[in-house]
């Protein structure tokens, strides 16, 4: 293996550029030619490769987003698209690929491996929802962004005696909501992994006001309630109607994806990027780099796909006990 390539796929996450930097520099250190693939799997199908050198990744360790860009590509999901990508890799003489992304991105990487092409995955998604690893690149920065926003909103909530519902990202996983809500001292945290009764949220708000509290913060993951009640706006409406309190809703949205990666995200991205290169050099394929119990590990795409991401509900129960 003399040439390897790296691509980013799916939603961007702070730390992706740091991981790209680590892949390029570790690859060059190992004597490899490293190529970047522009626009994810679409670029792979189109043969949109760019030769990467040390200067290519200069001054990107602190930048959010991804310099290689990322595009959703439904064409790659079918066999013809995968064969087209493999032909482009063969044409360029590339012998291994590193994919930085989430579950959907890893499914594409797995299919390439099934076809015999060595592929390694690096978990990059702010949702922290990939089984097989305790941590995904971008999660820490997203949580810090949410906490900073909630802290600022609380200042306004206290000044105007308001209840604020703050919706954070997390369609299928409540990690951002749980961590941000816990760290920002939210009165209620609503996540997909825990059963919720809106009446319970309302009772907690009323009890707080009876004790003299003049404001409340409710943090809700965008995927909570499975659509039975709705997202932040609907929850805010119900609270407003049943309490009569001045209730505002803030949806943080894609604000959480951007920004300079935190020190922890930079550290983990650097380690995972270098580890991915080492695994390719050692002849591994079809595996994902991960973090378990503070140690870098790797597991097969198939093994990770069989498991389901779980959340530490002990933190959720702790948050409830501290917000009484």
């Amino acid at each position: 293996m003399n040439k390897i390539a790296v691509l980013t796929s799916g939603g961007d996450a702070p730390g992706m550029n740091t991981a790209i930097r680590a892949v390029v520099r570790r690859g060059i250190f190992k004597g490899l030619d490293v190529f970047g693939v522009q626009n994810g799997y679409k670029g792979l199908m189109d043969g949109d490769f760019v030769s990467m050198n040390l200067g290519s990744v200069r001054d990107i360790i602190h930048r959010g987003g991804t310099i290689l860009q990322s595009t959703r590509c439904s064409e790659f999901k079918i066999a013809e698209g995968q064969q087209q990508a493999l032909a482009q890799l063969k044409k360029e003489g590339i012998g291994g690929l590193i994919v930085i992304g989430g579950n959907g991105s890893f499914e594409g990487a797995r299919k390439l491996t099934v076809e015999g092409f060595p592929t390694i995955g690096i978990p990059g998604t702010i949702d922290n929802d990939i089984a097989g690893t305790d941590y995904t690149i971008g999660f820490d920065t997203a949580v810090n962004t949410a906490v900073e926003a909630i802290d600022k909103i609380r200042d306004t909530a206290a000044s105007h005696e308001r209840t604020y519902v703050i919706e954070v990202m997390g369609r299928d996983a409540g990690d951002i909501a749980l961590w941000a809500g816990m760290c920002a001292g939210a009165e209620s945290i609503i996540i997909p992994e825990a059963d919720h009764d809106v009446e319970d949220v309302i009772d907690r708000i009323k009890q707080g006001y009876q004790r003299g509290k003049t404001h409340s913060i409710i943090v809700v993951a965008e995927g909570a309630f499975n659509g039975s009640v709705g997202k932040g706006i609907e929850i805010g409406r119900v609270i407003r109607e049943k309490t009569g309190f001045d209730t505002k809703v803030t949806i943080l949205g894609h604000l959480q994806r951007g920004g300079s990666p935190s020190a922890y995200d930079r550290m983990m991205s650097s380690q995972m990027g270098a580890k991915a290169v080492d695994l390719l050099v050692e002849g591994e394929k079809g595996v994902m780099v991960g973090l378990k119990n503070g140690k870098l590990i790797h597991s097969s795409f198939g093994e990770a796909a069989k498991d389901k991401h779980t959340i530490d509900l002990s933190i959720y129960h702790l948050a409830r006990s501290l917000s009484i």
Side-chain angles (χ1 to χ4, degrees), residues 147-282:
V147 169
E148 181 180 1
I150 295 168
D151 286 347
K152 292 178 179 179
I153 290 170
R154 186 181 286 279
D155 291 342
T156 296
S159 298
H160 295 276
E161 300 186 2
R162 288 173 178 163
T163 295
Y164 264 90
V165 176
I166 302 168
E167 181 184 299
V168 300
M169 296 186 84
R171 184 180 58 203
D172 301 312
D175 296 64
I176 295 176
L178 178 58
W179 282 60
M182 174 74 172
C183 294
E187 279 69 29
S188 291
I189 303 171
I190 304 173
I191 56 176
E193 296 87 348
D195 292 332
H196 282 91
D197 181 354
V198 178
E199 294 298 331
D200 175 68
V201 175
I202 292 170
D203 287 343
R204 291 169 71 88
I205 295 172
K206 289 181 176 179
Q207 290 168 13
Y209 273 81
Q210 290 169 2
R211 296 197 311 271
K213 293 184 69 173
T214 59
H215 66 280
S216 294
I217 298 292
I218 293 88
V219 176
V220 55
E222 62 178 329
F225 289 109
N226 296 318
S228 59
V229 174
K231 300 181 182 179
I233 293 175
E234 178 65 14
I235 294 168
R237 182 189 64 78
V238 174
I239 291 173
R240 189 182 305 111
E241 290 178 354
K242 295 200 172 187
T243 65
F245 298 145
D246 187 6
T247 305
K248 304 294 183 183
V249 178
T250 298
I251 300 174
L252 297 186
H254 287 80
L255 170 72
Q256 298 154 90
R257 278 192 181 173
S260 181
S262 66
Y264 188 73
D265 268 326
R266 298 184 199 191
M267 177 64 75
M268 294 314 305
S269 299
S270 296
Q271 292 186 51
M272 288 183 174
K275 181 66 173 179
V277 173
D278 292 347
L279 289 171
L280 276 180
V281 171
E282 292 164 8

Side-chain angles (χ1 to χ4, degrees), residues 277-296:
V277 173
D278 292 347
L279 289 171
L280 276 180
V281 171
E282 292 164 8
E284 291 282 355
K285 60 182 178 180
V287 299
M288 173 195 74
V289 180
L291 183 74
K292 283 287 187 180
N293 301 316
K295 301 291 185 182
L296 285 182

Side-chain angles (χ1 to χ4, degrees), residues 125-129 136 139 169-171 173-176 222 309:
T125 168
I126 66 169
D127 290 333
N128 202 45
D129 62 348
T136 64
F139 175 65
M169 296 186 84
R171 184 180 58 203
D175 296 64
I176 295 176
E222 62 178 329
H309 166 74

